[in-house]
Amino acid sequence: MKVASAQSGSVTVVNNALALGFSGTLGNLDAYISAVNRLPMLTHEEEISLARRLRDNNDLAAAQELVMSHLRMVVSIGRGYLGYGLPHADLIQEGNIGLMKAVKRFDPDQGVRLVSYAMHWVKAEMHEYILKNWRLVKVATTKAQRKLFFNLRSHKQGLDTMTPSQVDSLAKTLNVKREEVIEMETRLTGRDIALEAPTDDEDDKFAPIAYLSSDSSEPTRVLEAQQKDRLHSEGLEQALAKLDDRSRRIVEARWLANDDGSGATLHTLAAEFGVSAERIRQIEAAALKKMKGALAAFV
């Protein structure tokens, strides 16, 4: 799944390039690539000087020069990931974020060139972008799966399924289980399927949503339904059986006479038994308490 089109990605990259200090108008991605390839490279001494200015004085102008001089590297790395079907402009955009992170953390006194240090940050950002947008469902979450995702394509010979010997060889090379190699190959050769039919209503019955299990068949729901049925039938009958005739008559008239819960009033029952409405309420409360204890065994 591509979250941004190549055109929108190009605009973003171009706008960021202008913000970094490009002059003139960069109309499209090709113009951006041409412009970054014309930017001068830094010598080792210039790179160290700029990096120290950034580290010691928080010199943003020095940071800009360091970023600008390495933009061509991001373009080159992004070109290597075009096989995943995502826009080159979007890959460059993510890679530029990684480059800026690398420049911010770069230590010029470690004896390592910025290009070597930044390469890992650039690839990390591109990897994260690819994993999030290559498919609707994320195909790699663990470290081993991520490693397989970015190495499996280059080790496969054509579009055919890998042979057992190829699976064993790749598992040994990447230090992962052969089962993980097989699982990742299956994920990569699969495709996303919409749950609902994308066309007219006649195709609805053929969409996966039509034959997925309903909530009512979920084991917990089934057990709850069975328990509820048992409570309503056998449990309720046993609880009523523990009441005397008058108490049972009051509970049934008040709560079980109608499905909508609109039972007899206290005054109606008071007139029937020749007592006060308060006395009927007391009998009802005592009966319900007794029934609650009897129903506890069914809950």
Side-chain angles (χ1 to χ4, degrees):
M1 178 184 70
K2 304 174 181 62
V3 298
S5 65
Q7 182 179 6
S8 62
S10 301
V11 171
T12 306
V13 170
V14 169
N15 288 341
N16 284 355
L18 291 171
L20 285 170
F22 283 107
S23 59
T25 300
L26 302 178
N28 53 41
L29 182 61
D30 291 335
Y32 169 83
I33 294 175
S34 177
V36 299
N37 285 334
R38 291 197 302 269
L39 292 171
M41 301 287 288
L42 297 174
T43 65
H44 192 194
E45 292 73 20
E46 289 173 332
E47 183 179 292
I48 292 176
S49 176
L50 290 168
R52 285 175 177 166
R53 282 169 49 191
L54 173 60
R55 182 193 63 188
D56 300 337
N57 305 314
N58 196 28
D59 189 336
L60 297 184
Q64 178 175 298
E65 285 193 57
L66 289 169
V67 171
M68 297 278 285
S69 63
H70 289 82
L71 290 176
R72 69 179 69 195
M73 173 197 66
V74 177
V75 173
S76 177
I77 293 175
R79 194 174 288 119
Y81 292 106
L82 292 178
Y84 293 99
L86 297 171
H88 194 191
D90 291 351
L91 292 168
I92 293 173
Q93 172 73 8
E94 298 301 318
N96 285 345
I97 294 174
L99 173 60
M100 288 185 280
K101 289 181 179 180
V103 167
K104 182 179 179 180
R105 293 165 174 80
F106 181 60
D107 185 353
D109 296 329
Q110 291 295 321
V112 179
R113 290 298 300 267
L114 177 57
V115 65
S116 300
Y117 179 75
M119 189 178 298
H120 301 287
W121 287 88
V122 171
K123 287 184 177 181
E125 291 295 327
M126 290 187 182
H127 284 185
E128 192 65 27
Y129 168 75
I130 292 170
L131 288 173
K132 286 181 178 179
N133 297 281
W134 189 66
R135 285 279 176 82
L136 181 65
V137 179
K138 199 168 186 178
V139 295
T141 53
T142 67
K143 185 177 180 180
Q145 289 174 348
R146 293 168 71 97
K147 189 190 302 183
L148 278 167
F149 181 86
F150 290 104
N151 286 276
L152 191 60
R153 288 163 54 93
S154 59
H155 284 78
K156 286 189 64 172
Q157 298 177 358
L159 299 177
D160 297 332
T161 303
M162 297 180 70
T163 64
S165 60
Q166 290 174 331
V167 171
D168 292 335
S169 176
L170 181 57
K172 183 177 180 180
T173 301
L174 298 180
N175 192 28
V176 297
K177 298 177 181 178
R178 70 185 313 275
E179 292 80 10
E180 292 176 319
V181 176
I182 296 172
E183 181 184 358
M184 182 54 66
E185 183 184 25
T186 303
R187 292 186 182 188
L188 292 178
T189 54
R191 62 186 181 88
D192 295 331
I193 301 176
L195 287 177
E196 299 180 354
T199 54
D200 54 52
D201 295 338
E202 293 181 0
D203 291 335
D204 285 350
K205 59 183 178 180
F206 300 108
I209 196 70
Y211 51 81
L212 288 178
S213 299
S214 65
D215 290 341
S216 60
S217 63
E218 197 269 326
T220 304
R221 300 283 183 100
V222 172
L223 289 175
E224 288 179 351
Q226 291 175 347
Q227 187 181 49
K228 186 177 181 180
D229 291 341
R230 185 164 171 256
L231 181 65
H232 282 176
S233 55
E234 144 181 23
L236 185 58
E237 185 58 37
Q238 288 191 23
L240 287 171
K242 292 183 178 295
L243 302 178
D244 59 79
D245 292 341
R246 184 174 64 171
S247 297
R248 178 165 182 162
R249 163 64 183 150
I250 292 173
V251 170
E252 288 179 339
R254 290 276 291 157
W255 300 103
L256 303 176
N258 300 311
D259 292 336
D260 60 1
S262 58
T265 66
L266 294 175
H267 292 286
T268 300
L269 291 170
E272 179 180 337
F273 289 102
V275 296
S276 67
E278 176 59 22
R279 180 57 183 153
I280 295 295
R281 188 195 64 76
Q282 293 173 354
I283 296 173
E284 177 189 28
L288 291 176
K289 184 177 180 180
K290 191 172 184 179
M291 289 180 65
K292 184 177 180 182
L295 290 172
F298 294 88
V299 178

